[in-house]
Amino acid sequence: MENSWKIYLLAVVSFLVGTSENIIAGILDRVAEDVGVSIAAAGQLITVFSLAFAFGTPVVMAATAKVGRKKLMLGALGLFIVGNAIAVLSPNYTVLMVSRMILALGTGVFVVASLTVASKLAPAGKQGSAIATLVMGFSTSLIVGVPLGRIIAASYDWKLIFAGIGLLSLLGVVAIARAIRETEGEAPVPFRSQLALLRSPRIALALSVTFFWIFGYSIMYTYISPFLLSITGMSERAVSVGLFAFGIASLIGSKLGGFSSDKWGIRRTLLGGMLLHAAVLLLLSVFSHSAAMMFPLLMLWAFAAWSSGPTQQYYLLTLAPGASGIMLSLNSSMLQLAMAGGAGIGGAIVSGVSLWSISWLGALAVAAAAVLAAASFRIGREARWKAGETHAAALAAPQSDAASR
């Protein structure tokens, strides 16, 4: 692709925003100890991030619909840098909560704007792969950012992670300003029109797929470090290695998901990935006390979960191609609501039931997502059949009239 290097540039910046979002799950126990709260309370840092992302992103995207996508990305990164600075200087849990909300708004707007730009930079028929490349940036944060952050938090201070992300984001601002051309925004879409998209059963079902898929993922991933330390009995070093293995597999899964969507179709890729995802979550509980089994299961889980990311986003773009920004924004909001729900309910389960049981609920949620995806595909298939029958009838009508004459 002529613009492939620009898409990879956006993926590199996506790595930074992805690390800032995902790192809390990797250092949850360290943050909890430092700010003097429980593991469950620290998990709510993920909840508040996700809620701010979910409700703030659509509002900002609607208010800035006419703004060029390049300007929007740069503004979002500026807000993101401010959020990292506040995290570094945060003296307590409350200020850290505020920093997470600011980071969420910067991250959300950048994600939606960059996905729109990447889809426009890609040639026809390669949009799925372009989106997968950006998702690869996020998954790379799991490969490098989260394990490295775990090592930094264990050896030095977890706040150094956010200082480094903020400084590197400044370089990202310069690179995007020089390399990416301005692209026009979209016509403003009133909130009533945005909500009107949800009246389509197929779109509503497709967005509910995002919710249950990510809910099932989040309820386990939020508490993965305490799970590996307490239930599996891994050492600090083994947890870092396990998170690294998870990240490697997520990279492979996201890239293969985009390739598979272009080559074998959305339906096969999405349903296959989600069914495998649900099965692996069950196996994580079954083999929770075996460190030897945990490593391959972590990799299989990451592969299955992240293969659905580019596929689901590309599927939503095909449902409303004239409102790509709004669809991506709605999907991002649904994703973050699911992250918030997973972290919040997961915290309640960890406190009230057991840390071991969270993967069972996660598996049920992902299985529900697969059922809803199948229903959305069936509605689309029926709509195409009806459209084909109507078209055939329209073609037959003139012939029938001619025969009668």
Side-chain angles (χ1 to χ4, degrees), residues 153-310:
S155 304
Y156 301 100
D157 187 341
W158 59 269
K159 291 184 178 181
L160 289 176
I161 301 165
F162 293 99
I165 292 172
L167 290 173
L168 290 173
S169 296
L170 286 171
L171 297 178
V173 168
V174 174
I176 289 176
R178 293 176 64 87
I180 304 296
R181 290 184 178 180
E182 186 62 276
T183 57
E184 294 183 0
E186 299 176 340
V189 180
F191 283 110
R192 184 180 299 175
S193 300
Q194 294 185 43
L195 295 176
L197 289 172
L198 299 177
R199 295 195 191 108
S200 165
R202 195 178 178 198
I203 290 177
L205 277 173
L207 288 171
S208 67
V209 169
T210 296
F211 180 85
F212 283 98
W213 154 52
I214 294 297
F215 178 88
Y217 170 83
S218 172
I219 201 170
M220 183 66 188
Y221 184 73
T222 299
Y223 301 96
I224 188 61
S225 290
F227 183 92
L228 296 176
L229 289 166
S230 302
I231 305 299
T232 308
M234 286 185 176
S235 65
E236 184 71 45
R237 181 180 178 183
V239 170
S240 296
V241 174
L243 292 174
F244 180 77
F246 183 96
I248 290 287
S250 69
L251 174 63
I252 297 170
S254 62
K255 197 61 181 174
L256 185 59
F259 173 80
S260 179
S261 298
D262 291 334
K263 189 170 183 64
W264 294 300
I266 295 171
R267 183 177 179 276
R268 291 180 180 178
T269 304
L270 198 59
L271 291 178
M274 288 187 175
L275 290 173
L276 178 60
H277 186 174
V280 175
L281 283 174
L282 289 175
L283 292 175
L284 284 171
S285 282
V286 173
F287 296 100
S288 59
H289 297 289
S290 172
M293 286 296 298
M294 196 55 58
F295 280 101
L297 286 175
L298 282 173
M299 295 187 73
L300 192 57
W301 173 33
F303 173 85
W306 282 78
S307 70
S308 300

Side-chain angles (χ1 to χ4, degrees), residues 38-41 44 223 344-355 358:
S38 67
I39 289 289
Q44 304 319 302
Y223 301 96
I345 293 177
I349 293 173
V350 168
S351 298
V353 186
S354 71
L355 184 58
I358 54 177

Side-chain angles (χ1 to χ4, degrees), residues 77-164:
L77 281 178
L79 189 62
F80 178 74
I81 291 168
V82 170
N84 279 292
I86 294 175
V88 173
L89 300 173
S90 60
N92 53 48
Y93 180 70
T94 302
V95 176
L96 189 55
M97 277 279 191
V98 172
S99 77
R100 295 302 289 170
M101 289 187 281
I102 295 173
L103 283 168
L105 288 176
T107 298
V109 174
F110 179 82
V111 166
V112 176
S114 63
L115 286 170
T116 303
V117 170
S119 64
K120 291 179 179 179
L121 289 173
K126 296 294 183 181
Q127 289 89 349
S129 295
I131 291 173
T133 299
L134 258 67
V135 175
M136 180 184 70
F138 288 98
S139 54
T140 303
S141 74
L142 295 173
I143 298 172
V144 179
V146 175
L148 181 60
R150 181 79 199 177
I151 293 171
I152 293 172
S155 304
Y156 301 100
D157 187 341
W158 59 269
K159 291 184 178 181
L160 289 176
I161 301 165
F162 293 99

Side-chain angles (χ1 to χ4, degrees), residues 13-28 43 45-51 53-54 57 80 84 99-100 103-108 111 138 141-142 145-146 161-162 165 214 217-218 221-222 306 332 335-340:
V13 182
S14 295
F15 162 78
L16 295 175
V17 298
T19 299
S20 188
E21 177 177 358
N22 294 320
I23 190 62
I24 289 293
I27 60 174
L28 198 64
L45 291 168
I46 295 173
T47 301
V48 74
F49 181 102
S50 298
L51 289 175
F53 190 122
T57 301
F80 178 74
N84 279 292
S99 77
R100 295 302 289 170
L103 283 168
L105 288 176
T107 298
V111 166
F138 288 98
S141 74
L142 295 173
V146 175
I161 301 165
F162 293 99
I165 292 172
I214 294 297
Y217 170 83
S218 172
Y221 184 73
T222 299
W306 282 78
S332 295
L335 185 151
Q336 294 298 331
L337 283 173
M339 292 286 285

